[in-house]
Amino acid sequence: MKNFILILFLFTALLSNAQDKKQTEKTKIVEASCGQCKFGMKASGCDLAVRIDGKAYFVEGTKLDDHGDAHAHDGFCSTIRKAEIAGEIVGDRFKATSFKLLPTTK
């Protein structure tokens, strides 16, 4: 029983630490669009990408179609949008833990 309580306590502490890390992760505003259509990246088909400090990265953790019709007048294959993101660059990809598409301005 003592081992079970100890394991439960450790699991709860680890889970709490993970939640704290996610909440304190910094967000930034970046350009988001179709990597192939708007950022000139090489790959087959259309894939979501973000441009951070002038360099484009394909995104893992969310996809084009999670944010509406990519081929609509305001879609990712038609225009470059702003997004508030959190995550990290790993190799040549951006691993998103948060991705919020910002409203378009006229």
Side-chain angles (χ1 to χ4, degrees):
M1 185 66 174
K2 288 181 186 178
N3 287 341
F4 176 74
I5 292 172
L6 179 62
I7 290 171
L8 184 61
F9 174 75
L10 289 173
F11 179 74
T12 304
L14 288 172
L15 186 60
S16 175
N17 188 30
Q19 289 292 341
D20 290 344
K21 182 179 178 185
K22 195 170 193 174
Q23 290 174 355
T24 61
E25 195 172 42
K26 291 186 179 187
T27 62
K28 75 185 325 185
I29 306 297
V30 299
E31 295 177 311
S33 197
C34 174
Q36 293 83 335
C37 295
K38 290 299 185 181
F39 293 153
M41 301 172 75
K42 302 290 182 208
S44 61
C46 294
D47 295 299
L48 181 59
V50 292
R51 193 158 39 202
I52 301 170
D53 298 327
K55 184 168 176 16
Y57 301 90
F58 286 116
V59 175
E60 292 182 10
T62 188
K63 299 189 180 316
L64 277 177
D65 293 331
D66 294 340
H67 307 282
D69 180 2
H71 295 100
H73 76 282
D74 63 345
F76 286 129
C77 292
S78 302
T79 190
I80 297 173
R81 302 274 306 269
K82 295 287 186 184
E84 181 179 20
I85 62 168
E88 64 180 328
I89 298 168
V90 178
D92 62 347
R93 301 185 77 77
F94 180 77
K95 297 196 180 217
T97 54
S98 172
F99 186 100
K100 179 183 174 187
L101 188 60
L102 299 178
T104 57
T105 57
K106 294 189 179 200

